[in-house]
Amino acid sequence: MRLPLPLLPALLAALLAAPLRASPLQERDQRFHGVVSAGGVVASQDRLASEVGVAMLRRGGNAVDAAVAASFALAVTLPQAGNLGGGGFLVLWLPGPSPAADRGCPTGAELTIAGGTAVAVNFRETAPLAATADLFLAADGTVDRRRATRSLLATGVPGTPAGLVLAQRCYGRLSLAAVLQPAIDLAAEGFAVGEPLADSLRRAAPLLQADPTASALFYGPPLEPGGPSRPYDAGEWLRQPDLAATLRRIAAEGEAGFYAGPTAERLVALMAERGGLITAADLQAYRAQLVRPLAGSFQGHTLLTMPPPSAGGVGLLQLLGILEPLPLAEQGAGSAAALHRLVEAMNLVYRDRNRWLGDPDQVAMPLERLLSRAHAAKLRGQIDPLRHRPAAELDGQPAAAGGGGGDNTTHLSVADRRGGLVATTTTLNFAYGNGIAVPGAGFLLNNEMDDFAAAPGRPNVFGLVQGQANAIAPGRRPLSSMTPTLVFRPDGRPWLATGSPGGSRIPTTVLQVLLNRMVHGHNLATAVASPRVHSQLWPDRLSHEQGFSPDTLALLAARGHALQPSTAMGSANSVELLWSPGPAGAPRLAGSLGVADTRRPEGAVAVE
Ligand code: GLY
């Protein structure tokens, strides 16, 4: 058959468009949809923070400006996880040549990919120089959980201010002052407390009201003299003038505005008064690092994720390596057959994590072997398709069962109109960290030291049973589950940014979002909304969200899984770049799409 010549370009465009079914507007069969933008988009756990990010895009900022501004805003509007007193990770990709060298930033960690530059920022907290391996051990050898989580000993040297300032200085387009101004305004002028924050503060009252500074920051004056301070109702105005002053010092002086001068003096004075370890020398020694993203592939896609001290990035790539040749698509999303393989793979990967992973600056790890195809094949061979392999069988010895899970931490993703992508996850560890705020500085402190193996072989609060590689040592960064991740399409174009909170459930959440998108044909919103499972070797059980049918669960139980209904897992605020055929059929960036995970009521997408 001969086609009329004028139809040829249209046919060519249609053929080229076939693999470009990313546009949700063509996906009427899907039950969930993201928010589409002709320009950039920010998906975060808070509406105000997402709007702050987009305001930077409108001013000509890039994805890094938006992510940094939104992160500083989260430190004001989402005190349970957004922070100055904690730490986190960020992975970025920007089109074109890197601006870093011209700004005096080291470029050795950069990856050149898809005509642009990728790099990761490690601003994980460090153990104070006076920290010792037995810091949290009681006389009987057990872990003193209060000391490990609710005292000033639990606080690692904060990394967030250094990390955000570094990312901004080396890769942003706007000034540091410009990206900090919205957070300063939110802190100084205040904002209306929403119901999710009011509810969270009500539930956190026993923790936060025990600390006079935190109590004064987050609760209204007592209704009667001498009575307890009063939780805010939704709609009431929360002002944080001390936090505004701290943010102003960072805007004016960069890192030195936090790690030296009045902020540092206040933090060090609190430590000295109340038995903490962090000194002025710890603060001066703290450095955020530009590090090479961990790169992997899955069915032609390229993934860039966070290297150690994230255990999440290694775990995610290991899981994808194990699962890549399995017929998950044929088995179907949410089928017992596919879920069984997923959780069996998870257990094997958590066994590796617990044995091997730690801070790369202090611990040698067989990363090349762990991430090799041969190792993935070996682990795949250890999966019995019909029977759950108990943790004791895989791990050689029974371990004390701990909790598992975790609802804290926060993740945001950004796409800009030039195709730049940022995924960043930050945390205080628990919601509100250790619940202790720095007098006169307006921010809460993390309890990240509990992410170390306080007693190797015993579970931490997330139920993780970790080894010597993650033991406490001076200056060391504790292993983390945070897994900010970027994905590039098989033809090389940048595509997705994702990540999640959720403690030890973070890497498995990110895995399922990505499998849903890459394997199961879900659009991004459906990929994020679909129910999740989690398993982490110890405790030996399969946690599952609502949304799986009783028949599916019965099939899993019949394979030997101990099923445990779970609270919602994670909050994978994600973005996707939308591509459409250009005039000559070549793909053209047509905008972006954001998805705020509905598992957290306060999540929101803002569009440019
Ligand atoms: N604090 C939780 C994590 O980093 O994994």
Side-chain angles (χ1 to χ4, degrees):
M1 187 180 76
R2 285 176 71 100
L3 282 171
L5 272 181
L7 280 185
L8 274 174
L11 181 65
L12 192 60
L15 285 174
L16 278 167
L20 299 175
R21 287 176 48 216
S23 167
L25 302 177
Q26 297 164 19
E27 294 178 349
R28 296 288 182 201
D29 51 336
Q30 309 242 0
R31 291 185 300 128
F32 301 94
H33 292 279
V35 182
V36 176
S37 167
V41 69
V42 180
S44 86
Q45 205 184 316
D46 180 72
R47 178 182 58 80
L48 292 169
S50 294
E51 285 170 2
V52 162
V54 159
M56 298 301 111
L57 299 180
R58 291 204 184 108
R59 291 180 62 173
N62 63 15
V64 176
D65 295 302
V68 170
S71 297
F72 277 123
L74 286 171
V76 182
T77 59
L78 193 80
Q80 53 272 56
N83 66 83
L84 295 185
F89 301 135
L90 183 151
V91 183
L92 68 88
W93 179 85
L94 293 175
S98 166
D102 291 346
R103 301 175 187 185
C105 299
T107 55
E110 290 179 348
L111 277 176
T112 302
I113 174 170
T117 305
V119 79
V121 188
N122 173 13
F123 49 102
R124 185 70 164 159
E125 301 90 329
T126 51
L129 297 170
T132 54
D134 60 357
L135 190 60
F136 300 128
L137 291 186
D140 63 359
T142 60
V143 177
D144 181 335
R145 298 244 51 97
R146 198 202 64 80
R147 256 192 6 233
T149 60
R150 295 306 190 201
S151 77
L152 284 172
L153 294 176
T155 300
V157 181
T160 298
L164 297 181
V165 168
L166 181 67
Q168 162 67 31
R169 181 164 65 81
C170 300
Y171 297 97
R173 291 164 75 109
L174 304 176
S175 69
L176 182 62
V179 299
L180 268 151
Q181 195 57 48
I184 293 169
D185 293 343
L186 283 165
E189 292 161 23
F191 63 95
V193 172
E195 179 51 30
L197 178 56
D199 177 56
S200 169
L201 287 169
R202 273 195 295 276
R203 285 186 284 116
L207 170 71
L208 296 177
Q209 290 184 337
D211 178 68
T213 308
S215 185
L217 284 176
F218 298 115
Y219 298 85
L223 287 174
E224 57 202 51
S229 55
R230 188 181 59 80
Y232 286 101
D233 288 326
E236 284 191 274
W237 215 247
L238 175 59
R239 287 193 181 82
Q240 300 172 76
D242 287 345
L243 180 56
T246 298
L247 290 164
R248 277 193 200 101
R249 286 191 284 273
I250 299 172
E253 299 168 44
E255 286 168 54
F258 185 91
Y259 295 89
T263 310
E265 283 158 20
R266 284 166 199 169
L267 199 162
V268 169
L270 171 70
M271 291 282 158
E273 269 163 39
R274 290 179 51 188
L277 296 183
I278 297 175
T279 63
D282 283 306
L283 293 173
Q284 274 156 23
Y286 186 85
R287 294 284 178 278
Q289 302 169 325
L290 296 174
V291 295
R292 187 173 289 268
L294 200 61
S297 67
F298 179 79
Q299 296 184 352
H301 301 82
T302 300
L303 290 98
L304 298 183
T305 185
M306 196 66 207
S310 167
V314 175
L316 174 68
L317 296 188
Q318 281 192 290
L319 282 162
L320 290 170
I322 296 170
L323 298 170
E324 186 169 29
L326 298 183
L328 298 179
E330 289 78 11
Q331 287 162 349
S335 68
L339 293 172
H340 170 74
R341 284 161 178 81
L342 241 61
V343 296
E344 292 300 287
M346 289 173 189
N347 290 337
L348 293 165
V349 163
Y350 272 86
R351 180 179 65 179
D352 276 350
R353 167 190 172 140
N354 297 347
R355 279 189 192 163
W356 298 111
L357 300 188
D359 180 355
D361 288 347
Q362 296 200 9
V363 176
M365 286 168 276
L367 276 192
E368 207 172 314
R369 180 176 71 76
L370 294 179
L371 292 167
S372 67
R373 282 187 186 280
H375 189 61
K378 185 173 136 201
L379 295 184
R380 196 181 311 120
Q382 292 173 12
I383 296 175
D384 182 333
L386 297 177
R387 181 182 74 91
H388 165 61
R389 297 192 63 192
E393 180 182 314
L394 292 180
D395 211 21
Q397 87 257 314
D407 290 329
N408 317 310
T409 308
T410 190
H411 178 83
L412 70 88
S413 299
V414 183
D416 69 34
R417 62 168 54 242
R418 290 170 284 270
L421 290 172
V422 172
T424 180
T425 316
T426 59
T427 188
L428 289 165
N429 196 23
F430 287 18
Y432 305 102
N434 60 4
I436 301 171
V438 180
F443 63 89
L444 287 159
L445 290 167
N446 70 81
N447 57 359
E448 220 69 62
M449 294 289 286
D450 190 53
D451 274 350
F452 282 115
R458 288 173 192 266
N460 75 352
V461 77
F462 301 122
L464 291 168
V465 182
Q466 305 175 92
Q468 279 299 341
N470 190 31
I472 301 173
R476 184 175 287 180
R477 296 175 201 254
L479 209 52
S480 170
S481 297
M482 293 185 287
T483 315
T485 300
L486 308 182
V487 183
F488 296 74
R489 301 170 58 108
D491 61 10
R493 279 171 283 148
W495 192 33
L496 304 174
T498 190
S500 180
S504 53
R505 301 185 294 195
I506 294 173
T508 54
T509 289
V510 174
L511 171 79
Q512 288 165 92
V513 170
L514 293 181
L515 289 178
N516 288 340
R517 186 74 189 95
M518 295 190 290
V519 172
H520 294 302
H522 292 171
N523 69 8
L524 189 63
T526 310
V528 169
S530 296
R532 297 175 187 146
V533 293
H534 172 74
S535 193
Q536 58 182 50
L537 190 67
W538 300 108
D540 189 353
R541 64 190 182 207
L542 189 169
S543 310
H544 63 88
E545 291 186 326
Q546 291 175 356
F548 295 101
S549 74
D551 330 43
T552 306
L553 297 176
L555 287 169
L556 287 167
R559 282 174 159 93
H561 295 280
L563 301 176
Q564 179 160 79
S566 164
T567 53
M569 296 181 188
S571 176
N573 302 310
S574 308
V575 299
E576 173 169 332
L577 293 170
L578 300 176
W579 296 87
S580 60
R588 181 183 62 84
L589 185 58
S592 58
L593 172 142
V595 175
D597 197 328
T598 49
R599 286 168 178 79
R600 304 285 169 98
E602 64 273 47
V605 173
V607 299
E608 192 178 0

PDB file of all heavy atoms in Angstrom, residues 470-486:
ATOM      1  N   ASN A 470      28.008  -0.663  60.814  1.00  0.00           N
ATOM      2  CA  ASN A 470      27.212   0.515  61.160  1.00  0.00           C
ATOM      3  C   ASN A 470      27.252   0.781  62.662  1.00  0.00           C
ATOM      4  O   ASN A 470      26.325   1.350  63.232  1.00  0.00           O
ATOM      5  CB  ASN A 470      25.767   0.323  60.675  1.00  0.00           C
ATOM      6  CG  ASN A 470      24.956   1.602  60.774  1.00  0.00           C
ATOM      7  OD1 ASN A 470      25.485   2.707  60.638  1.00  0.00           O
ATOM      8  ND2 ASN A 470      23.663   1.467  61.043  1.00  0.00           N
ATOM      9  N   ALA A 471      28.335   0.371  63.307  1.00  0.00           N
ATOM     10  CA  ALA A 471      28.485   0.670  64.741  1.00  0.00           C
ATOM     11  C   ALA A 471      28.818   2.154  64.921  1.00  0.00           C
ATOM     12  O   ALA A 471      29.319   2.815  64.005  1.00  0.00           O
ATOM     13  CB  ALA A 471      29.599  -0.193  65.326  1.00  0.00           C
ATOM     14  N   ILE A 472      28.543   2.688  66.100  1.00  0.00           N
ATOM     15  CA  ILE A 472      28.827   4.106  66.371  1.00  0.00           C
ATOM     16  C   ILE A 472      30.344   4.328  66.390  1.00  0.00           C
ATOM     17  O   ILE A 472      31.089   3.554  66.991  1.00  0.00           O
ATOM     18  CB  ILE A 472      28.256   4.529  67.743  1.00  0.00           C
ATOM     19  CG1 ILE A 472      26.742   4.300  67.783  1.00  0.00           C
ATOM     20  CG2 ILE A 472      28.591   5.994  68.049  1.00  0.00           C
ATOM     21  CD1 ILE A 472      26.119   4.534  69.158  1.00  0.00           C
ATOM     22  N   ALA A 473      30.799   5.389  65.725  1.00  0.00           N
ATOM     23  CA  ALA A 473      32.206   5.786  65.785  1.00  0.00           C
ATOM     24  C   ALA A 473      32.281   7.290  65.574  1.00  0.00           C
ATOM     25  O   ALA A 473      31.438   7.861  64.863  1.00  0.00           O
ATOM     26  CB  ALA A 473      33.014   5.054  64.712  1.00  0.00           C
ATOM     27  N   PRO A 474      33.267   7.956  66.165  1.00  0.00           N
ATOM     28  CA  PRO A 474      33.364   9.414  66.044  1.00  0.00           C
ATOM     29  C   PRO A 474      33.395   9.858  64.585  1.00  0.00           C
ATOM     30  O   PRO A 474      34.129   9.282  63.779  1.00  0.00           O
ATOM     31  CB  PRO A 474      34.684   9.746  66.740  1.00  0.00           C
ATOM     32  CG  PRO A 474      35.003   8.570  67.577  1.00  0.00           C
ATOM     33  CD  PRO A 474      34.351   7.377  66.957  1.00  0.00           C
ATOM     34  N   GLY A 475      32.619  10.869  64.258  1.00  0.00           N
ATOM     35  CA  GLY A 475      32.637  11.430  62.910  1.00  0.00           C
ATOM     36  C   GLY A 475      31.925  10.591  61.865  1.00  0.00           C
ATOM     37  O   GLY A 475      31.804  10.999  60.715  1.00  0.00           O
ATOM     38  N   ARG A 476      31.460   9.422  62.232  1.00  0.00           N
ATOM     39  CA  ARG A 476      30.828   8.515  61.261  1.00  0.00           C
ATOM     40  C   ARG A 476      29.381   8.936  61.005  1.00  0.00           C
ATOM     41  O   ARG A 476      28.713   9.478  61.873  1.00  0.00           O
ATOM     42  CB  ARG A 476      30.872   7.081  61.799  1.00  0.00           C
ATOM     43  CG  ARG A 476      30.338   6.051  60.834  1.00  0.00           C
ATOM     44  CD  ARG A 476      30.508   4.636  61.366  1.00  0.00           C
ATOM     45  NE  ARG A 476      31.890   4.192  61.314  1.00  0.00           N
ATOM     46  CZ  ARG A 476      32.306   2.983  61.723  1.00  0.00           C
ATOM     47  NH1 ARG A 476      31.442   2.122  62.242  1.00  0.00           N
ATOM     48  NH2 ARG A 476      33.571   2.639  61.635  1.00  0.00           N
ATOM     49  N   ARG A 477      28.916   8.636  59.780  1.00  0.00           N
ATOM     50  CA  ARG A 477      27.510   8.907  59.445  1.00  0.00           C
ATOM     51  C   ARG A 477      26.730   7.605  59.563  1.00  0.00           C
ATOM     52  O   ARG A 477      27.156   6.570  59.031  1.00  0.00           O
ATOM     53  CB  ARG A 477      27.397   9.434  58.010  1.00  0.00           C
ATOM     54  CG  ARG A 477      28.097  10.778  57.831  1.00  0.00           C
ATOM     55  CD  ARG A 477      28.091  11.230  56.373  1.00  0.00           C
ATOM     56  NE  ARG A 477      29.134  12.210  56.145  1.00  0.00           N
ATOM     57  CZ  ARG A 477      28.937  13.528  55.983  1.00  0.00           C
ATOM     58  NH1 ARG A 477      27.730  14.023  56.020  1.00  0.00           N
ATOM     59  NH2 ARG A 477      29.950  14.348  55.786  1.00  0.00           N
ATOM     60  N   PRO A 478      25.584   7.641  60.246  1.00  0.00           N
ATOM     61  CA  PRO A 478      24.806   6.409  60.379  1.00  0.00           C
ATOM     62  C   PRO A 478      24.169   6.018  59.064  1.00  0.00           C
ATOM     63  O   PRO A 478      23.832   6.870  58.239  1.00  0.00           O
ATOM     64  CB  PRO A 478      23.728   6.774  61.405  1.00  0.00           C
ATOM     65  CG  PRO A 478      23.613   8.259  61.346  1.00  0.00           C
ATOM     66  CD  PRO A 478      24.955   8.787  60.926  1.00  0.00           C
ATOM     67  N   LEU A 479      24.033   4.723  58.890  1.00  0.00           N
ATOM     68  CA  LEU A 479      23.378   4.212  57.690  1.00  0.00           C
ATOM     69  C   LEU A 479      21.942   4.725  57.645  1.00  0.00           C
ATOM     70  O   LEU A 479      21.297   4.873  58.679  1.00  0.00           O
ATOM     71  CB  LEU A 479      23.372   2.689  57.772  1.00  0.00           C
ATOM     72  CG  LEU A 479      23.390   1.878  56.500  1.00  0.00           C
ATOM     73  CD1 LEU A 479      24.520   2.302  55.584  1.00  0.00           C
ATOM     74  CD2 LEU A 479      23.513   0.403  56.856  1.00  0.00           C
ATOM     75  N   SER A 480      21.462   4.979  56.442  1.00  0.00           N
ATOM     76  CA  SER A 480      20.118   5.519  56.273  1.00  0.00           C
ATOM     77  C   SER A 480      19.353   4.687  55.255  1.00  0.00           C
ATOM     78  O   SER A 480      19.942   4.019  54.408  1.00  0.00           O
ATOM     79  CB  SER A 480      20.214   6.961  55.773  1.00  0.00           C
ATOM     80  OG  SER A 480      18.946   7.437  55.384  1.00  0.00           O
ATOM     81  N   SER A 481      18.040   4.769  55.355  1.00  0.00           N
ATOM     82  CA  SER A 481      17.198   4.121  54.333  1.00  0.00           C
ATOM     83  C   SER A 481      16.769   5.093  53.240  1.00  0.00           C
ATOM     84  O   SER A 481      16.153   4.674  52.249  1.00  0.00           O
ATOM     85  CB  SER A 481      15.937   3.543  54.991  1.00  0.00           C
ATOM     86  OG  SER A 481      16.280   2.543  55.906  1.00  0.00           O
ATOM     87  N   MET A 482      17.059   6.369  53.401  1.00  0.00           N
ATOM     88  CA  MET A 482      16.545   7.375  52.451  1.00  0.00           C
ATOM     89  C   MET A 482      17.071   7.089  51.036  1.00  0.00           C
ATOM     90  O   MET A 482      18.253   6.839  50.847  1.00  0.00           O
ATOM     91  CB  MET A 482      16.940   8.776  52.907  1.00  0.00           C
ATOM     92  CG  MET A 482      16.250   9.174  54.213  1.00  0.00           C
ATOM     93  SD  MET A 482      16.576  10.866  54.721  1.00  0.00           S
ATOM     94  CE  MET A 482      18.269  10.754  55.286  1.00  0.00           C
ATOM     95  N   THR A 483      16.169   7.172  50.054  1.00  0.00           N
ATOM     96  CA  THR A 483      16.460   6.685  48.702  1.00  0.00           C
ATOM     97  C   THR A 483      15.983   7.675  47.630  1.00  0.00           C
ATOM     98  O   THR A 483      15.151   7.336  46.783  1.00  0.00           O
ATOM     99  CB  THR A 483      15.771   5.314  48.497  1.00  0.00           C
ATOM    100  OG1 THR A 483      15.988   4.488  49.638  1.00  0.00           O
ATOM    101  CG2 THR A 483      16.298   4.603  47.267  1.00  0.00           C
ATOM    102  N   PRO A 484      16.451   8.911  47.638  1.00  0.00           N
ATOM    103  CA  PRO A 484      16.043   9.803  46.548  1.00  0.00           C
ATOM    104  C   PRO A 484      16.607   9.268  45.236  1.00  0.00           C
ATOM    105  O   PRO A 484      17.779   8.890  45.164  1.00  0.00           O
ATOM    106  CB  PRO A 484      16.678  11.144  46.933  1.00  0.00           C
ATOM    107  CG  PRO A 484      17.829  10.793  47.826  1.00  0.00           C
ATOM    108  CD  PRO A 484      17.420   9.529  48.547  1.00  0.00           C
ATOM    109  N   THR A 485      15.765   9.247  44.212  1.00  0.00           N
ATOM    110  CA  THR A 485      16.143   8.518  42.985  1.00  0.00           C
ATOM    111  C   THR A 485      15.643   9.246  41.740  1.00  0.00           C
ATOM    112  O   THR A 485      14.522   9.761  41.723  1.00  0.00           O
ATOM    113  CB  THR A 485      15.529   7.097  43.040  1.00  0.00           C
ATOM    114  OG1 THR A 485      16.038   6.426  44.189  1.00  0.00           O
ATOM    115  CG2 THR A 485      15.861   6.294  41.795  1.00  0.00           C
ATOM    116  N   LEU A 486      16.470   9.266  40.707  1.00  0.00           N
ATOM    117  CA  LEU A 486      16.089   9.775  39.384  1.00  0.00           C
ATOM    118  C   LEU A 486      16.114   8.612  38.395  1.00  0.00           C
ATOM    119  O   LEU A 486      16.951   7.715  38.511  1.00  0.00           O
ATOM    120  CB  LEU A 486      17.070  10.852  38.903  1.00  0.00           C
ATOM    121  CG  LEU A 486      17.368  12.019  39.853  1.00  0.00           C
ATOM    122  CD1 LEU A 486      18.318  13.009  39.172  1.00  0.00           C
ATOM    123  CD2 LEU A 486      16.089  12.729  40.285  1.00  0.00           C
TER     124      LEU A 486
END
